[in-house]
Amino acid sequence: MSSSDYQPLHLEWPGLANARDLGGLPVEGGAIREGALIRTESLTRLSEPDLLRDAGVSLIIDLRRPNESPEPHPFADDDIYVNLPVEDPADQKNIDSTMGALYLEMLDARPDLFAAALGSMAEAEPGAVLVHCAAGKDRTGLVVALALSVAGADREVVAADYAATGERLAPLAEAYLATIEDEEQRDFWRGHQATPVEFMLDVLDHLEVEHGGVEAYLRSGGMTDEQLSALRERLVV
């Protein structure tokens, strides 16, 4: 299957605009297994939490910072839930930068946190791993890109999956932007809502040049060869 033949498996989960099963996404030697990796925005917006049980979800990885949301997570007390932030609140970020530049800062700052998220994914019980942050765009986009790269997806396919998020969230983003009266501020935040393929291609280039590639980057954060192999095995069919 070529990347042009791949169509994301959008999940019609009430309350969520960006719930996708990555099954069928082409990788070297096969494809991502359906029911193995799901990406969404915050599950606090999901009106029917039981849908996760029906989908066979065995692990929910919440990438948000502790107490980031005033709303309690619907699975916070469930044994399938883990909170594994990929940012430390003490990390300094240049908010005036582009999101693409912020991604590189986040990755360089916390290989240990990204490796912990991917390692948890590798060691999950059989079933689907669901990854989310707030919008399911930036932190989720980075973690999913790392997982897909480990699974053998080529860079264009990884970037296309990232870009699909912008399409799914566009109506919500436009509604939010319409509430900003200052035109300059509106243009700034429009840039922060976008998910151009170039952002993710730059991430993968950066990891290659500065860290020796995705797997070397994750190893530098503490992920083991056994975990990398286990992740590929659970994701690829």
Side-chain angles (χ1 to χ4, degrees):
M1 180 195 296
S2 70
S3 58
S4 61
D5 296 327
Y6 170 66
Q7 293 295 321
L9 296 172
H10 293 298
L11 301 173
E12 297 302 328
W13 287 0
L16 301 185
N18 189 34
R20 309 204 301 277
D21 184 327
L22 281 295
L25 185 142
V27 300
E28 184 178 356
I32 297 297
R33 189 188 312 274
E34 191 170 339
L37 179 58
I38 294 171
R39 58 178 297 170
T40 74
E41 66 265 54
S42 173
L43 295 181
T44 57
R45 303 172 186 172
L46 179 63
S47 59
E48 297 180 25
D50 286 348
L51 287 171
L52 268 69
R53 301 289 186 194
D54 298 340
V57 172
S58 63
L59 180 66
I60 297 166
I61 301 176
D62 180 356
L63 303 171
R64 298 174 303 167
R65 298 179 301 278
N67 305 315
E68 180 175 326
S69 171
E71 300 174 78
H73 196 286
F75 290 89
D77 298 325
D78 200 298
D79 59 4
I80 67 171
Y81 172 84
V82 292
N83 183 206
L84 294 173
V86 288
E87 299 173 285
D88 188 296
D91 293 344
Q92 297 295 311
K93 288 193 296 186
N94 179 11
I95 190 63
D96 293 328
S97 176
T98 66
M99 288 308 302
L102 285 173
Y103 294 163
L104 307 187
E105 291 180 23
M106 290 170 62
L107 288 162
D108 287 348
R110 297 294 171 182
D112 54 327
L113 300 183
F114 281 96
L118 273 289
S120 178
M121 190 183 296
E123 295 175 351
E125 295 295 321
V129 174
L130 186 151
V131 182
H132 80 83
C133 51
K137 178 172 77 76
D138 304 313
R139 291 165 288 187
T140 299
L142 290 172
V143 167
V144 168
L146 294 173
L148 294 178
S149 297
V150 170
D154 71 40
R155 60 201 300 278
E156 286 76 18
V157 172
V158 173
D161 174 68
Y162 166 74
T165 288
E167 299 165 16
R168 292 287 281 183
L169 295 179
L172 296 177
E174 286 303 319
Y176 165 69
L177 292 168
T179 68
I180 302 174
E181 294 184 6
D182 183 274
E183 187 174 347
E184 191 172 322
Q185 279 292 308
R186 191 163 59 244
D187 288 343
F188 172 79
W189 286 109
R190 177 171 282 111
H192 273 51
Q193 300 292 333
T195 58
V197 293
E198 291 78 18
F199 281 0
M200 191 53 67
L201 294 175
D202 286 348
V203 161
L204 298 173
D205 287 344
H206 178 80
L207 291 174
E208 192 66 41
V209 171
E210 300 297 332
H211 298 276
V214 168
E215 293 193 14
Y217 168 78
L218 291 168
R219 287 191 194 96
S220 76
M223 199 169 176
T224 66
D225 288 342
E226 290 76 16
Q227 288 175 318
L228 288 165
S229 295
L231 183 57
R232 275 189 295 272
E233 188 171 330
R234 79 175 296 134
L235 292 182
V236 179
V237 62

